[in-house]
Amino acid sequence: NIFYRAYDFTIPANNFYQNIFQVKLDNNVPKWLNQNYTLPPPVYNNTEIDFFVSATDENLSRYMFADNFTGSWINSTLVNFTGVSEKNDTAVFIKNLTNPGNFSFYFIIFDDANNTNTTTRQKIEVLGAKPLLINITLKRPPNEYNSSTNNIVFEYNYTGPQASSCALFVNTTQ
């Protein structure tokens, strides 16, 4: 307990004396609700990814995202939690991944008492350019074609990158 006085010289009736002063101490670090967050493979360069993790605390304040996508560790600027609850919120960081390679990232969360907690480093592999899709369109025979002969001519249109091999499957049989 600390004794204190507050004086108002203009209106002495407003003077205040008190011998109890209480402070709530917050020594608890924020907690992560889904710390084992992993991204679904594959991730290609020039892909925008939403990184997120949920957190809980008595009074969440802000968070930071750290990554080494450029080859060096970089901390994002501090971002304030913007949810309707001070106790539960989600940290979100959107990043456009432009370099292929193996990288890591993590979140740091702060509460209003400046207690911090850091997630474990998560790994992510970013592959090179996304492969171009091969598109094959059957011209003839028409779909659901029934034939009484053993010789059927297949004609198709093909677009996309060069394929190294080709196989024909009819009713799952090659």
Side-chain angles (χ1 to χ4, degrees), residues 32 37 58 61 71 78 97 99-100 109 124 143 146:
W32 299 106
Y37 173 72
E58 284 302 309
S61 176
L78 287 171
L97 305 178
N99 298 318
I109 187 169
I124 179 173
N143 194 20
N146 286 318

Side-chain angles (χ1 to χ4, degrees), residues 23-31 56-61 110-116:
V23 176
K24 181 181 176 186
L25 296 176
D26 179 2
N27 293 322
N28 299 320
V29 298
K31 293 184 178 41
T56 182
D57 188 74
E58 284 302 309
N59 288 295
L60 292 171
S61 176
F110 301 82
D111 66 11
D112 65 342
N114 218 26
N115 297 312
T116 64

Side-chain angles (χ1 to χ4, degrees), residues 131-139 155-163 166:
L132 298 174
L133 296 177
I134 294 174
N135 186 22
I136 300 174
T137 307
L138 183 64
K139 289 175 66 175
E155 187 178 342
Y156 59 90
N157 287 332
Y158 171 92
T159 59
Q162 183 176 356
C166 183

